[in-house]
Amino acid sequence: MNKYEYQFAPDSFELVGDKVDISKDVVAPVVPFWLDVWRRFRKNKGAVIGITVIVLIILMSIFMPILSSYKFDAIDSASANIKPNAQHWFGTDNFGRDLWVRTWTGTRVSLIVSFAAVVIDIVVGMTYGMISGYFGGMVDTIMQRIQEILNSIPTLVILTLLMTVLEPSLFTIIFALMFTEWIGMSRITRAQVLKIKEDEFVLASRTAGASEVFYIFKELRTNIYSQLIVMAMMTIPNAIFYEAYLSFVGLGLTVPNASLGVLINDGFNYFLSYPYMVAIPVVVLALLMLSFNLFGDGLRDALDPTMKEM
């Protein structure tokens, strides 16, 4: 027998229909979009760790100042410059203020600023981008030129100039962020509107007699929200950085108020003698920014899995 010849036994082959009913199609169960997103998201360990750290920090910033017997602005000269111990977990500063309470109070302020920046992003940026992309023509040209003028000036320069004119406060920081934070969101929104505004479903909506307002804020918004969510998540670490930077250089909140930037600024003056004063808020700030970046990346991959393959 030739070594390349094979002999088959009577039972070497069998009909598929003997074990599987080939007359019926096997249809995969319908999975809701958000359930599919959640399944992809939880497979990303970095994103899961990021959202876990974010939730823990938010809870700590809410409840720790409430549960503690110390006040963030209470001065106690007799307890000045105490290193971390069982009574003062993060130690005290040069005025005897408990750094555990001040750290979580400052984290709360930084989070408020960041979430306010997200609201500004969504309300101003999304509206501006939708109107510019939908109407096009002269309207789009004028709106884009205005945006380019604002974007040509570095963000930190605008923030610094505004903070030198206005009185330092939490509202002033949020107001300063209104001038530039929405530009990135506006660009993404406009690009998506230009991409889908001529699709069939949009034409069908207009043919059915839908109003311009309904067309812009209903039909288009529901088809670009995944990109908007990701962009909003990326805005948070930027806003936290800007707040910390302004407070660090003395243009943000002032003592006895607390924010992560204020704490870093205060601790920097005593870095050689009491390094824990600056190390603790720096670690919290780094954890916040890293966690939001991990969460944003994971959310982007979960909402649009094709991005991961590019």
Side-chain angles (χ1 to χ4, degrees):
M1 178 186 297
N2 190 310
K3 63 179 180 178
Y4 295 107
E5 294 181 358
Y6 298 93
Q7 290 184 346
F8 299 101
D11 59 347
S12 294
F13 299 94
E14 60 182 13
L15 295 175
V16 175
D18 293 342
K19 293 185 178 181
V20 180
D21 187 359
I22 60 176
S23 64
K24 296 181 180 179
D25 293 331
V26 178
V27 181
V30 178
V31 179
F33 173 72
W34 287 110
L35 179 59
D36 189 41
V37 170
W38 166 245
R39 289 177 177 176
R40 289 197 296 266
F41 179 81
R42 67 184 181 183
K43 293 179 181 179
N44 190 323
K45 295 182 180 180
V48 173
I49 293 174
I51 188 60
T52 302
V53 173
I54 291 170
V55 171
L56 288 175
I57 290 179
I58 291 176
L59 292 176
M60 295 286 281
S61 66
I62 293 174
F63 294 107
M64 288 302 102
I66 298 175
L67 298 177
S68 177
S69 58
Y70 298 102
K71 301 297 181 182
F72 76 93
D73 56 351
I75 297 177
D76 183 7
S77 301
S79 303
N81 300 325
I82 296 178
K83 295 183 179 181
N85 55 37
Q87 186 175 3
H88 300 280
W89 290 1
F90 285 175
T92 62
D93 62 9
N94 57 311
F95 291 102
R97 294 172 298 201
D98 184 74
L99 288 179
W100 169 264
V101 177
R102 286 184 62 78
T103 298
W104 297 120
T105 302
T107 303
R108 181 196 300 174
V109 172
S110 296
L111 288 172
I112 290 173
V113 172
S114 64
F115 289 126
V118 170
V119 173
I120 295 169
D121 245 16
I122 294 175
V123 174
V124 180
M126 188 175 69
T127 304
Y128 195 95
M130 281 187 172
I131 294 174
S132 178
Y134 171 70
F135 288 103
M138 184 59 66
V139 174
D140 181 46
T141 301
I142 294 174
M143 295 181 72
Q144 290 307 302
R145 298 297 82 76
I146 295 173
Q147 180 177 289
E148 289 174 2
I149 293 172
L150 292 175
N151 194 52
S152 64
I153 307 173
T155 301
L156 289 178
V157 173
I158 295 177
L159 295 178
T160 303
L161 291 175
L162 287 173
M163 296 300 295
T164 55
V165 174
L166 302 176
E167 182 180 352
S169 67
L170 181 60
F171 172 78
T172 304
I173 295 176
I174 296 175
F175 179 75
L177 292 173
M178 291 177 60
F179 280 83
T180 55
E181 278 299 294
W182 55 270
I183 292 178
M185 178 72 77
S186 173
R187 286 181 168 177
I188 290 181
T189 304
R190 175 179 175 272
Q192 292 298 320
V193 170
L194 292 174
K195 178 181 178 182
I196 68 175
K197 74 175 184 177
E198 301 299 334
D199 287 352
E200 288 79 3
F201 74 91
V202 175
L203 179 61
S205 176
R206 300 179 67 180
T207 304
S211 65
E212 299 291 337
V213 175
F214 175 85
Y215 170 66
I216 295 177
F217 291 97
K218 178 64 167 62
E219 294 295 332
L220 293 179
R221 176 177 55 83
T222 55
N223 286 274
I224 62 176
Y225 67 88
S226 60
Q227 291 88 349
L228 301 183
I229 292 175
V230 173
M231 188 65 185
M233 289 299 101
M234 294 301 184
T235 298
I236 294 178
N238 290 335
I240 293 175
F241 166 77
Y242 288 139
E243 184 281 324
Y245 168 79
L246 292 172
S247 297
F248 177 74
V249 299
L251 298 174
L253 295 178
T254 56
V255 292
N257 296 309
S259 73
L260 291 178
V262 171
L263 293 173
I264 295 172
N265 187 26
D266 289 345
F268 183 76
N269 298 323
Y270 302 92
F271 176 71
L272 295 179
S273 301
Y274 307 101
Y276 65 91
M277 289 187 184
V278 68
I280 292 173
V282 164
V283 170
V284 175
L285 177 64
L287 282 176
L288 265 179
M289 297 187 66
L290 177 61
S291 299
F292 273 113
N293 280 313
L294 290 174
F295 176 57
D297 288 340
L299 196 60
R300 179 197 59 203
D301 294 339
L303 289 170
D304 188 4
T306 59
M307 292 289 293
K308 199 170 185 178
E309 301 173 0
M310 295 178 62

